[in-house]
Amino acid sequence: MAQDDLPKITNYPAWLWRVIRKAFVVVFFGIGSVIIGLIVFPLLRLFIRDKKAFKKTGHVFISVVLDFYIHVMAWIRISTYKIDDLKTMRALKGCVIVANHPSLLDVIYILTFTRDADCIVKAGLKKSLVSAIVQALYITNNIDFETMQNECVESLHNGGNLIIFPEGTRTPRHGTNQYKKGAARIALAAGANVQPLHIGGNDKYGLGKGEPMLLVNPKERYKYEFKVLPQISMEKYQGLSESIAAKHLTDDMRAVIESGVC
């Protein structure tokens, strides 16, 4: 990552205080994840034995907890956010949610906005502090695509939403990655409409892929701006072969997401 275009640190005490606050929210998140995985979820399982019902309840619970978490981040002035249409996000059912992916916090915000949302996560998270949560609620990317697609379709048909970042990894600070067709293939297989989001705001120094913990915005807190864009209906792709439909839908997803750039 080129850092020569980053604003220079002019106030080292303020920068150090920002690093400390960032470290605090990381530790806070980790401790909370362990408590949920080792205490809260086992207690929930005593009362909710049905796997589908547990998953839906777990999605809502995590969404509410993350709602509290993003308010903690706002309170200690690490990050703040604006969303132009929270009502639409709250009302989503059985949609594939796609967005650009500039930072580590993107999925946390989207899970907060959408009360019942599944997502595809890195298999490596099964060996992290969030492992119990990931194994209970979400779909990992270390299985073959057909199996993963079937799990995603089932989740969508049960009325849940599915968060996918079509780039497959975090968006670089400058430019974008190539969009992969997986999100389109899943949406087409499920017959699920696609809800695009654009994530804007200021530069997310320290939250991009491979960036160190001590890298923070030298001058201000992280600012997120979420723009809810027009849904993409699957009707447009009826009659097309699977490969052509997936290509057209992927191109359309990218075009709509990039239209949200201010």
Side-chain angles (χ1 to χ4, degrees):
M1 183 196 67
Q3 297 186 28
D4 55 357
D5 63 338
L6 296 179
K8 302 300 181 183
I9 300 172
T10 57
N11 186 332
Y12 277 89
W15 168 81
L16 180 60
W17 179 229
R18 194 171 292 114
V19 170
I20 292 171
R21 284 180 289 161
K22 182 179 178 183
F24 167 78
V25 297
V26 172
V27 173
F28 183 76
F29 182 87
I31 292 173
S33 298
V34 171
I35 292 172
I36 291 170
L38 297 183
I39 300 175
V40 177
F41 276 12
L43 288 175
L44 275 178
R45 288 187 186 278
L46 294 176
F47 301 97
I48 307 173
R49 299 300 181 90
D50 181 75
K51 185 177 180 179
K52 291 180 181 179
F54 178 83
K55 198 170 183 178
K56 277 191 172 293
T57 302
H59 286 163
V60 174
F61 178 79
I62 292 298
S63 180
V64 172
V65 169
L66 290 178
D67 205 338
F68 170 72
Y69 181 69
I70 66 174
H71 281 86
V72 169
M73 290 194 292
W75 180 63
I76 65 174
R77 300 181 66 81
I78 282 296
S79 68
T80 186
Y81 75 94
K82 294 189 298 184
I83 179 169
D84 65 348
D85 191 358
L86 180 59
K87 184 178 179 180
T88 290
M89 295 301 295
R90 285 278 195 262
L92 290 178
K93 289 186 182 298
C95 285
V96 175
I97 302 168
V98 296
N100 56 315
H101 192 13
S103 83
L104 194 63
L105 296 178
D106 304 335
V107 70
I108 289 177
Y109 277 106
I110 300 174
L111 284 170
T112 299
F113 302 148
T114 315
R115 287 304 191 214
D116 183 5
D118 211 332
C119 62
I120 300 172
V121 300
K122 293 190 300 183
L125 291 177
K126 295 175 75 172
K127 298 180 180 180
S128 69
L129 293 176
V130 298
S131 60
I133 297 174
V134 167
Q135 292 185 60
L137 298 183
Y138 303 115
I139 301 166
T140 54
N141 64 359
N142 63 332
I143 53 181
D144 65 272
F145 182 80
E146 184 178 353
T147 301
M148 183 172 65
Q149 178 175 278
N150 290 339
E151 290 188 19
C152 291
V153 169
E154 181 181 2
S155 182
L156 289 162
H157 286 174
N158 286 334
N161 301 290
L162 180 68
I163 302 168
I164 305 179
F165 297 105
E167 291 174 78
T169 187
R170 273 169 271 176
T171 311
R173 289 183 57 241
H174 304 294
T176 60
N177 299 305
Q178 182 177 357
Y179 275 41
K180 302 180 185 300
K181 296 178 183 177
R185 290 172 63 185
I186 291 168
L188 289 163
N193 287 351
V194 173
Q195 176 59 67
L197 291 177
H198 180 264
I199 305 173
N202 61 1
D203 204 328
K204 309 300 187 295
Y205 316 121
L207 295 176
K209 186 173 182 179
E211 295 175 358
M213 170 62 66
L214 294 183
L215 185 63
V216 295
N217 191 313
K219 295 185 177 296
E220 59 184 350
R221 56 186 162 172
Y222 298 116
K223 295 179 181 177
Y224 286 81
E225 295 179 3
F226 294 87
K227 189 169 184 180
V228 182
L229 300 163
Q231 279 194 18
I232 302 174
S233 171
M234 294 303 99
E235 293 180 2
K236 177 179 178 180
Y237 311 98
Q238 291 180 357
L240 299 177
S241 69
E242 179 183 348
S243 60
I244 293 176
K247 181 183 184 307
H248 287 339
L249 177 53
T250 301
D251 291 343
D252 289 345
M253 286 191 299
R254 181 163 197 157
V256 174
I257 291 171
E258 291 181 350
S259 75
V261 179
C262 297

